[in-house]
Amino acid sequence: MDAIELVDLTKIFPGKKGARVKALDHLDLRVPQGEVFGFLGPNGAGKSTTIKILMGLIRPTQGQARLLGTPATLPQARLTTGYLPENPAFYDYLNASEYLTFIGQSFKLDTTTIAARSETILHRLSLWEARKRPIRSYSKGMVQRLGIAQVLVHQPEIYILDEPMSGLDPIGRALVKEIILELKAAGKCVFFSTHITSDVEAVCDRVGVILKGKLQTVQEVGTLMEKGITGYHIRHRMPGQEIFKESTIRPEELQVFMTNIFQSGEEVILLEPLRKNLEAFFLSIVSQGSSNDQ
Amino acid sequence: MIKIVGITFQGVLRDKVFHGILLVAGLFLFIPSASAFSMRQVPQLAITLSLSLTSFLLLLLAVFLGGTSLWKDVERRYTHSVLGGTPISRASYVLGKYSGVSLFVMATAFLLGVLSLAAIWFAAMAYPPDRPLLWLNILIAVFFDALKYVLLVAVAFLLSTVSTSFFLPIFGTIATFLAGSATQNVYDYLQTPQGEQLSAGVKAAALFFYYMLPNFSAFDLKANAIYSLPLDPGGLLLTFAYAAVYIAILLSSASLLFTRRELQ
Amino acid sequence: MKSVALLAALVVVYAALLLPFTRHLRQRPFLEKVGYLPQPFILQTLAADQRYAMAAGLIFNVLAYYGTLVEKNLFGADIPPDHSTMQTTLITASRLDPYNMDIYYFAQSMAWNSNKIREITELLEYGMRYRDWDFYLPFFAGFNSAYFLKDYAAAAPHFATAARLSGSDLFTRLASRYMYEAGQTGLAIDYLTAMIQSSKNEAIKKTFQTRYAALLEVRRIEQARDVFRQKTGRLPKSIVELQDAGVLAPPPGDPYGGEFYLEPDGTVRTTSKFANPSQDNQ
């Protein structure tokens, strides 16, 4: 059973003056357990709409969304899921500690478990000092970190994070990436949306690109990285010499070049693959998508 | 759902609206001296003023808490994290929020009732009444007043579930309150000779609203409390049942509408 | 800095306006102050569940207005009260809170100065339907019928009701007195004694006391007149004649500032008509 299952998902919003806006267009996607999936797309591509359907906040016009086999429209689908909304907001009159307790109790956790987990999580997300202050007084980054915290407290199987890095400083971003990798190691499924390609590169197993409500492509991030190599940059020198040489070669020349180097007795100081990064890949898809459109 | 009740109650307690209303409740201090203006019925005036102030404060609470509580959660997208992030159903959310607000209205009514009794007691000490005061009547009047506002909160919730702005919940609730308080009066007018002369269309419309809108005048037991008039237990029971059924209908509709609502 | 100066200037203008503004409000006639009240039905409908408080508010308005006038008149300002508007306001208040005793009490306290005794009595009868335990309303109504309207047939059942509700013999005594014209003054004095004793409001008490003092003087003159008639077998022509005959001493004084005189049939009257001079007496 897949963790996330989107079948023929279509969402049409009523627009102004009777116009209809197609936010999602026959989207099919399966994400298995244990995978970290990056959902990449420009603003307004349909990422949040997809996620809101997954969390039962809105209903699809057509098609189905399922979480571990349970239709997303049912509240029990969310028993095994943690959700971080985009620009989250939490009851601002509570403090972080109270909010985590509230979430824990909604999942019927006992008080000691909640207390123990809250303490670990609040420390981890640097909210411990602020835990007794009302959320009203938090900065945007703190609210975002509380958003991550409230996803972790009930230890679900699936984590659905809408723009988890937004509003975070570099330290916060690094922390979130670290947490995602830990979840992956623990065999959990993480599905997150972003428009920043480097986030995907760092943590994702697979990436899906969505554009104007259509899923353009789904790729293994590893394969994509390999496919993207356009050549190598090599720095090498004769042993004992101060001066080194630099060479740039095409991928198919690598074998021959390296053999030559070893035969001449030179040492390799640096070997750097040159590649079209994920951003370029993403941009090419976006530009293709736009040109197809016209 | 119990969790939502608790969270809502806590939220109201920390709300500025509530603090403002508490401040206004300080007016109870002036009731004994204000009642001395009466020529012939000081304790009665104290009861009138206490019940009126209680009713007014509860009306403010009902309109502002009822009208904004659910609406604000949707508007500020608290519902996204709670309804998207937990297995709490939409229906339990509505019922939980409603119970929280209603419980709060009832608790405030109790508090104001106690303040009323104190104010009336002081006035009655200084100017003994001609007829013995019926304290139980006063308490029952406060209870039914609170019941009326709990019903009004349900109206506010129903309006909140369909509205994306606070205009409908707030002004719709106020309008319902005014209309619901007036229907009995209009109905009684229709029975008079002048009323009989009205056109059939007007009469039909008036009757429609009479049966459709909540009839708040039934909950007004102020005369019984102020002038120690006997209460009719059967009538009270009927009024209570009326409120219970009306609230149940409103809340079922609210849950139904809220479950279907798209939380953008 | 500029905006602070502007704000300061506005506050000064506000303060300057405040004085004439409040003076204007203070000097507005009563009708304007109470406002033209809408139909009781409209008020009932709009008052929602605050009708009892609204009634109390209307009564307070009337009372505050009347209290201020009494105070002013004590200092010789002599501004006639607007009885008609006060009465309309009270009737409206009774439709909002038919149980409110202050309404009936205050309406009745205006009886001497009002030409609308019938309306006041109707108001009392309306109140009796609600305050069915209260002997004051039939007492007032009976007194009005007997004293002002001379309608003894109407008065009798009211006094009977009052006697039944109160268990007091005062009403039985009143009932026996109203039967003859000579008893009128005594009836009024008894009524006023009861009213003054139970009066709590200073303005109203003052009104009653003045009337009471005047009636005591009337009774004194009436008694002197009766003594004079017994002695001489004819009616006196004037107060002076009574004084000269030595049956009336000291000379009577009208607390309203008028002069007592005798009608040809011997009835005692005063030039003040039992009202402050400038007042339009009915």
Side-chain angles (χ1 to χ4, degrees):
Chain A
M1 190 172 23
D2 288 320
I4 297 170
E5 211 179 330
L6 303 174
V7 185
D8 193 28
L9 208 60
T10 302
K11 178 69 189 177
I12 297 169
F13 287 116
K16 277 178 187 156
K17 293 175 188 166
R20 286 147 58 89
V21 182
K22 209 170 207 174
L24 288 181
D25 195 356
H26 304 285
L27 194 139
D28 284 287
L29 180 67
R30 281 162 187 278
V31 181
Q33 279 282 54
E35 184 176 277
V36 177
F37 189 92
F39 202 38
L40 198 58
N43 293 331
K47 298 187 299 274
S48 280
T49 303
T50 311
I51 288 178
K52 280 175 187 161
I53 291 176
L54 259 178
M55 301 325 299
L57 292 173
I58 56 180
R59 288 155 184 276
T61 312
Q62 191 186 321
Q64 266 217 330
R66 279 189 282 268
L67 292 163
L68 284 171
T70 314
T73 43
L74 302 176
Q76 51 273 34
R78 298 190 284 279
L79 272 172
T80 48
T81 315
Y83 168 51
L84 168 69
E86 183 182 10
N87 302 324
F90 308 104
Y91 297 124
D92 63 1
Y93 53 85
L94 297 180
N95 61 40
S97 189
E98 287 167 337
Y99 195 76
L100 292 190
T101 308
F102 163 63
I103 294 292
Q105 285 171 338
S106 318
F107 283 95
K108 309 222 165 13
L109 300 180
D110 63 81
T111 321
T112 33
T113 315
I114 296 173
R117 285 186 192 170
S118 294
E119 187 172 345
T120 322
I121 293 167
L122 288 171
H123 274 301
R124 181 93 200 262
L125 288 154
S126 325
L127 288 170
W128 182 252
E129 305 297 323
R131 71 187 188 284
K132 295 255 159 89
R133 263 166 47 195
I135 298 174
R136 178 183 303 130
S137 68
Y138 285 14
S139 70
K140 190 170 186 311
M142 289 166 84
V143 174
Q144 187 73 17
R145 276 183 274 142
L146 175 60
I148 306 279
Q150 56 96 32
V151 173
L152 300 174
V153 75
H154 57 287
Q155 300 186 341
E157 292 304 308
I158 308 170
Y159 295 79
I160 293 178
L161 316 174
D162 202 347
E163 307 273 6
M165 320 283 187
S166 87
L168 291 178
D169 59 15
I171 303 165
R173 284 165 177 267
L175 180 62
V176 172
K177 284 178 198 169
E178 196 182 300
I179 290 171
I180 292 177
L181 289 173
E182 280 171 22
L183 292 173
K184 180 184 171 180
K188 312 280 188 174
C189 170
V190 181
F191 180 99
F192 73 90
S193 74
T194 182
H195 52 262
I196 298 160
T197 49
S198 60
D199 295 345
V200 176
E201 261 177 47
V203 295
C204 288
D205 296 314
R206 286 199 300 160
V207 59
V209 179
I210 185 172
L211 195 66
K212 294 179 179 163
K214 283 191 182 136
L215 191 60
Q216 304 291 327
T217 179
V218 177
Q219 298 279 338
E220 298 273 343
V221 172
T223 322
L224 208 59
M225 300 306 247
E226 276 167 38
K227 269 203 319 204
I229 295 176
T230 54
Y232 295 95
H233 178 83
I234 299 153
R235 189 180 291 172
H236 51 103
R237 68 178 171 198
M238 288 305 285
Q241 285 188 339
E242 281 288 313
I243 303 155
F244 48 74
K245 293 180 262 181
E246 305 222 21
S247 314
T248 304
I249 56 170
R250 282 178 285 135
E252 59 272 23
E253 294 169 343
L254 183 66
Q255 199 68 43
V256 178
F257 187 85
M258 291 307 279
T259 315
N260 288 343
I261 292 236
F262 289 129
Q263 278 171 357
S264 65
E266 279 184 286
E267 58 178 1
V268 174
I269 300 165
L270 182 79
L271 189 152
E272 210 175 30
L274 299 175
R275 62 181 156 215
K276 195 170 133 189
N277 60 12
L278 196 59
E279 183 155 359
F281 166 71
F282 173 58
L283 288 175
S284 72
I285 288 176
V286 171
S287 63
Q288 257 174 38
S290 325
S291 58
N292 286 353
D293 214 52
Q294 282 146 17
Chain B
M1 189 182 124
I2 300 296
K3 278 320 296 166
I4 297 290
V5 178
I7 288 282
T8 309
F9 199 87
Q10 214 170 355
V12 180
L13 208 59
R14 296 182 186 175
D15 200 321
K16 286 202 185 71
V17 171
F18 172 62
H19 297 156
I21 286 173
L22 267 193
L23 220 65
V24 181
L27 287 176
F28 272 105
L29 286 176
F30 298 103
I31 285 182
S33 47
S35 306
F37 281 113
S38 172
M39 293 167 286
R40 305 294 307 175
Q41 45 168 30
V42 173
Q44 281 83 354
L45 184 58
I47 303 174
T48 307
L49 295 179
S50 300
L51 293 183
S52 281
L53 185 57
T54 301
S55 192
F56 179 66
L57 291 176
L58 291 180
L59 172 67
L60 288 184
L61 267 187
V63 168
F64 287 104
L65 292 184
T68 61
S69 171
L70 188 61
W71 170 80
K72 194 163 70 182
D73 283 9
V74 176
E75 176 67 18
R76 296 199 179 161
R77 299 185 306 121
Y78 299 151
T79 42
H80 282 60
S81 33
V82 175
L83 293 173
T86 69
I88 296 169
S89 73
R90 301 267 185 108
S92 347
Y93 194 77
V94 170
L95 293 182
K97 285 242 92 162
Y98 173 75
S99 309
V101 173
S102 300
L103 207 65
F104 198 87
V105 169
M106 279 291 180
T108 311
F110 179 76
L111 187 80
L112 297 178
V114 170
L115 289 178
S116 299
L117 290 190
I120 295 162
W121 185 78
F122 268 110
M125 284 296 285
Y127 303 92
D130 306 338
R131 300 221 301 164
L133 300 181
L134 296 181
W135 299 99
L136 185 64
N137 276 20
I138 299 173
L139 285 178
I140 291 175
V142 172
F143 172 75
F144 272 85
D145 209 36
L147 191 62
K148 172 173 77 180
Y149 291 116
V150 164
L151 200 165
L152 192 66
V153 171
V155 173
F157 264 67
L158 178 65
L159 296 175
S160 303
T161 53
V162 292
S163 174
T164 49
S165 93
F166 72 94
F167 277 100
L168 182 64
I170 296 281
F171 294 107
T173 306
I174 294 174
T176 308
F177 173 72
L178 291 178
S181 306
T183 49
Q184 186 64 46
N185 211 21
V186 174
Y187 180 83
D188 292 343
Y189 180 75
L190 287 185
Q191 315 302 317
T192 64
Q194 298 110 300
E196 306 245 302
Q197 289 165 7
L198 289 172
S199 78
V202 173
K203 271 196 270 190
L207 277 183
F208 171 77
F209 285 117
Y210 178 69
Y211 290 115
M212 175 83 187
L213 288 172
N215 189 339
F216 289 129
S217 54
F219 299 85
D220 191 352
L221 305 175
K222 289 195 180 67
N224 304 70
I226 301 168
Y227 300 104
S228 300
L229 307 177
L231 288 162
D232 168 18
L236 293 186
L237 206 65
L238 269 179
T239 307
F240 187 81
Y242 173 84
V245 174
Y246 207 110
I247 290 172
I249 291 174
L250 289 172
L251 287 185
S252 315
S253 318
S255 305
L256 215 65
L257 289 168
F258 194 61
T259 306
R260 287 156 179 274
R261 176 151 174 188
E262 302 239 289
L263 294 170
Q264 286 290 342
Chain C
M1 205 47 230
K2 233 182 191 172
S3 55
V4 173
L6 180 67
L7 183 65
L10 284 174
V11 170
V12 169
V13 171
Y14 175 74
L17 264 181
L18 218 49
L19 203 67
F21 179 67
T22 41
R23 191 185 306 131
H24 160 68
L25 287 182
R26 224 177 16 244
Q27 289 170 347
R28 276 202 301 185
F30 181 55
L31 188 61
E32 238 174 86
K33 273 190 199 166
V34 177
Y36 297 85
L37 284 174
Q39 291 279 312
F41 172 73
I42 309 274
L43 269 191
Q44 276 170 3
T45 309
L46 288 179
D49 64 344
Q50 298 289 358
R51 51 192 292 177
Y52 303 99
M54 195 183 260
L58 291 178
I59 298 163
F60 178 76
N61 276 355
V62 175
L63 200 60
Y65 162 76
Y66 188 68
T68 322
L69 272 192
V70 168
E71 209 169 279
K72 277 185 186 160
N73 287 347
L74 283 183
F75 293 106
D78 293 330
I79 303 162
D82 182 352
H83 283 109
S84 161
T85 305
M86 288 202 285
Q87 203 162 315
T88 319
T89 309
L90 290 175
I91 290 174
T92 305
S94 76
R95 298 310 185 265
L96 291 170
D97 180 0
Y99 292 99
N100 197 313
M101 186 53 192
D102 285 344
I103 297 169
Y104 307 113
Y105 180 74
F106 193 78
Q108 177 64 15
S109 73
M110 296 193 309
W112 257 287
N113 306 83
S114 173
N115 59 343
K116 291 179 175 163
I117 294 295
R118 261 178 223 291
E119 280 85 343
I120 292 176
T121 310
E122 269 166 30
L123 180 63
L124 293 169
E125 281 164 355
Y126 173 82
M128 277 184 237
R129 296 212 294 270
Y130 295 90
R131 296 183 66 87
D132 53 10
W133 63 87
D134 192 337
F135 69 86
Y136 273 107
L137 301 186
F139 168 36
F140 295 163
F143 177 76
N144 289 351
S145 301
Y147 186 77
F148 296 111
L149 305 173
K150 314 272 189 280
D151 183 352
Y152 304 122
H158 285 320
F159 280 125
T161 313
R164 179 172 53 78
L165 289 175
S166 69
S168 156
D169 66 336
L170 167 70
F171 306 104
T172 342
R173 279 193 279 127
L174 289 178
S176 60
R177 284 241 185 98
Y178 62 68
M179 294 311 291
Y180 53 97
E181 169 70 16
Q184 289 283 309
T185 309
L187 175 68
I189 286 172
D190 273 354
Y191 165 83
L192 285 171
T193 312
M195 295 304 273
I196 290 167
Q197 269 168 9
S198 64
S199 194
K200 209 171 70 57
N201 182 280
E202 276 314 310
I204 289 179
K205 196 170 195 162
K206 192 79 62 191
T207 315
F208 283 143
Q209 280 168 340
T210 312
R211 172 80 49 187
Y212 180 72
L215 284 177
L216 284 183
E217 290 296 87
V218 171
R219 185 159 68 178
R220 209 155 61 81
I221 300 168
E222 281 172 351
Q223 281 164 351
R225 174 199 67 195
D226 293 345
V227 171
F228 183 90
R229 186 159 51 181
Q230 244 170 5
K231 278 187 178 169
T232 62
R234 64 169 179 90
L235 279 170
K237 295 219 161 29
S238 67
I239 304 287
V240 181
E241 197 176 351
L242 288 175
Q243 285 172 276
D244 292 345
V247 290
L248 184 62
D254 180 2
Y256 291 102
E259 286 289 328
F260 286 109
Y261 63 92
L262 291 173
E263 294 280 343
D265 65 353
T267 313
V268 182
R269 297 261 193 257
T270 162
T271 53
S272 72
K273 299 181 179 175
F274 299 113
N276 291 314
S278 59
Q279 207 169 306
D280 177 26
N281 188 37
Q282 326 298 337

